[in-house]
Amino acid sequence: MPAEPSPRAGQPSRGAPEQSPDGTAARAIEVRRSARRRRTVSAYREGDRTVILIPARMSEAEERRWVTVMLDKLAAQENKRVPGDAELTARAERLSAQYFDGRARPATVRWVTNQNTRWGSCTPAEGSIRLSHRLKGMPEYVIDYVLCHELAHLLVPGHGPDFWRLLESYPRTERARGYLEGVVAASRLPHVPGARGE
């Protein structure tokens, strides 16, 4: 079987899906080559995809090596950033004090892996808040928004006008909602057959 030609500068190439740090889902990898990039390699998350930027002159072997290196670096950064349940509880208490005058008092706040259609949930009678593991690695303001959303449910159970007025106190509500809507929209994009490595 003939070797596949290397992508031209400026053309993206796709690699095999990356397993997420918690082992629950695959994340697509996109390698972008640039003629302007001489020596540096960088990577970032873009929705449910990892983008790795490399110099156009790199060989396929160097590309594979750098993809592995950058995935490991991103995973290490995200593992440092992701708060545990105790940190989530402390964060929720700070947000309640800042935006709800401390009136929203959760009994428990924790990550869960069984919420694949919602970002978070709240049981006001128990004072429990649960955040989907899918939020891990997302920007802090997005996690804070979901926490504020669930904290507001401790005060107003439904999604009526009083609830949304209360949630307006969090200044990045619209931006965070837009980010989450973008993640959902990206997950619904059709699979492109014949992409390299798929």
Side-chain angles (χ1 to χ4, degrees), residues 51-93:
V51 178
I52 300 174
L53 308 170
I54 65 171
R57 63 171 177 71
M58 265 193 191
S59 70
E60 297 251 345
E62 288 175 307
E63 176 183 320
R64 282 192 299 275
R65 184 177 73 80
W66 275 107
V67 165
T68 302
V69 167
M70 297 313 288
L71 292 177
D72 289 345
K73 280 187 176 183
L74 281 174
Q77 289 169 358
E78 288 166 356
N79 287 338
K80 284 181 194 169
R81 270 199 322 250
V82 175
D85 292 349
E87 290 89 354
L88 270 186
T89 301
R91 195 166 174 174
E93 289 168 359

Side-chain angles (χ1 to χ4, degrees), residues 143-155:
I143 296 172
D144 285 351
Y145 162 73
V146 176
L147 277 171
C148 283
H149 184 107
E150 302 311 331
L151 286 166
H153 277 310
L154 292 176
L155 303 173

Side-chain angles (χ1 to χ4, degrees), residues 11-12 30-34 44 46 49 51-54:
Q11 287 186 327
E30 181 178 329
V31 177
R32 295 181 187 164
R33 291 176 174 263
S34 169
Y44 60 92
E46 189 176 79
R49 176 178 33 186
V51 178
I52 300 174
L53 308 170
I54 65 171

Side-chain angles (χ1 to χ4, degrees), residues 103-165:
R103 293 178 298 133
R105 296 191 183 110
T108 61
V109 183
R110 61 191 174 94
W111 294 108
V112 294
T113 58
N114 62 351
Q115 291 191 60
N116 293 315
T117 57
R118 330 173 174 194
W119 298 112
S121 62
C122 172
T123 306
E126 298 172 2
S128 62
I129 291 175
R130 295 159 303 280
L131 295 191
S132 172
H133 69 284
R134 296 177 304 141
L135 289 164
K136 291 182 178 182
M138 288 191 187
E140 288 189 8
Y141 75 91
V142 174
I143 296 172
D144 285 351
Y145 162 73
V146 176
L147 277 171
C148 283
H149 184 107
E150 302 311 331
L151 286 166
H153 277 310
L154 292 176
L155 303 173
V156 180
H159 285 108
D162 291 342
F163 172 83
W164 293 111
R165 264 194 300 279

